[in-house]
Amino acid sequence: MRLKTLVLNASEDGFRVAADLLNQGELVAFPTETVYGLGASALSERAVAGIYAAKGRPSFNPLIVHVGDPKDASLYARVDRLAQVAIDTFWPGPLTLVLPRLEHCVLVPAVSAGLDSVALRMPNHPAALSLLRASGLPLAAPSANPSGGVSPTTAAHVRDGLGGKISAILDHGPCPVGLESTVLSLTDTHSRLLRPGAISRDALQAALGQTVEVPGDEDVPSAPGQLVSHYAPSARVVLDASVRPKGALWLRFGPASLEADISLSEAGDLSEAAARLFGALRELDDMAEPDQIIAVAPVPEMGLGVAINDRLRRAAAPR
Ligand code: TXA
Ligand code: MG
C-alpha cells in the first residue's frame, strides 16, 4: 500500500501532528544530530514491525530506542555505575549504550531482536527532543533509509528512500554530525565499541577509566547490524585513490583539485567531511554513468576519520 507521506515543519503544529501519528502506531521520520531516524512507538508491536517492513530490515538486527530524559534509561535497562558515568558524560549526544534489558521491560521484544540487551540513546537535537516530549513515547528509530543503503542526512534523502512507505517526515534541515552514533556495549564487565562514531574511543576510555575493546574483524559482527556491506550507493566504491582513476568519479578530502568531482572538505576538516559524507555519496551515485565507479581519496585514520573510514569501508565492501 502506498501512503501519502506528509512533510512536517519543526513547529508546534508539526510536533503535535507527528506525535499524534506516532501514538496511533504510524511511522514518522525525524532529524537527530547524527542522521534522520525512522521513528515508531517502542511500545507497539505493530509500529515496530512497520519499521522492519518499511526498511526491508532483517529481523535479527535490533533497533535503538530513543529517550527524552537520561533518567528514562533505568526504566528499561540495568544501569550500573559505568553506564551511569557514560550517560552523565555523553547524554544528550551521539552515544548509544547497549545495556542489559530489565526482566519486565515494557519495550516490545522486537526492538531487541530477541537479545536480552537493549540499545538506548538520548539524541542532542532540538526537534528530536521536542518530538520525544510531545509524544511521551520511547521511540525506536533506525536510520531512515532502506536497509543496506546510504543513511539520510536531509528530509529529501528520507523521501527518496522511504516516500510512500511512511506517514510523515519531520523536516529540520541537514543533520549537523552526519554519521550515526557511536555504539558502546556495556552488557558485561568489558566495554566494547560496536560502531565508531563522533564520540571517540579515546573520549570513552577517558570517561570510563577503562580500556574499551574493539571487536576484531574476524569476529562475528557483535552489533548484528554491522554487516560488512552497508551504507552502499548503487555505484561500486573503491578506496585509497590518491589520484583519479581513469574514467572514475573522484571524491577528494582536502584542498580542492580541478579534477575532483566533490571534496568532502577543502580545508581538510574531519567534522565537515563527516557531515558531507553521505550526501556526497548520494550525489556521486546520481552522477555516475552505468558501471562508472566512485573512487575515494584517503581520509586520515584519526578522530572522526575513524568513523568516516568505517562507513567508507562498508560502502566499498563486496555486496
Ligand atoms: O545515530 C544513530 O544511531 C541513528 C539515529 C537515528 O539515532 N540510528 C541508527 O540506527 O543508526 P541503526 O538501526 O541504523 O543502527 C543501530 C545499530 C545497529 O548496528 C544495530 O545492530 C545496533 O545498533 N544495535 C541495536 N540494538 C543492539 C543490541 N541490543 N545489541 C547490539 N547491537 C545493537
Ligand atoms: Mg542504519
Side-chain angles (χ1 to χ4, degrees), residues 35 55 57 61 142-152 180 195 225-226 230-231:
V35 299
K55 280 183 62 91
R57 184 176 179 104
N61 190 3
S143 52
N145 53 283
S147 189
V150 179
S151 297
E180 304 83 349
R195 180 174 70 185
Q226 291 302 81
H230 206 145
Y231 314 109

Side-chain angles (χ1 to χ4, degrees), residues 121-250:
R121 141 165 148 85
M122 177 175 175
N124 186 16
H125 189 284
L129 292 171
S130 296
L131 182 62
L132 283 159
R133 218 167 296 128
S135 68
L137 293 167
L139 295 177
S143 52
N145 53 283
S147 189
V150 179
S151 297
T153 54
T154 66
H157 294 165
V158 178
R159 205 183 42 223
D160 287 348
L162 296 175
K165 295 185 171 171
I166 65 178
S167 293
I169 305 169
L170 189 62
D171 186 355
H172 191 280
C175 301
V177 175
L179 295 178
E180 304 83 349
S181 60
T182 303
V183 180
L184 179 71
S185 169
L186 292 176
T187 49
D188 50 41
T189 49
H190 304 273
S191 45
R192 283 176 305 138
L193 188 69
L194 302 186
R195 180 174 70 185
I199 307 282
S200 69
R201 184 180 178 204
D202 286 348
L204 291 170
Q205 293 183 149
L208 300 177
Q210 63 163 241
T211 302
V212 171
E213 293 173 8
V214 179
D217 282 345
E218 64 284 4
D219 295 351
V220 215
S222 36
Q226 291 302 81
L227 305 175
V228 177
S229 172
H230 206 145
Y231 314 109
S234 310
R236 198 158 70 80
V237 177
V238 299
L239 304 182
D240 291 324
S242 308
V243 294
R244 177 204 282 273
K246 209 167 173 334
L249 294 171
W250 194 31

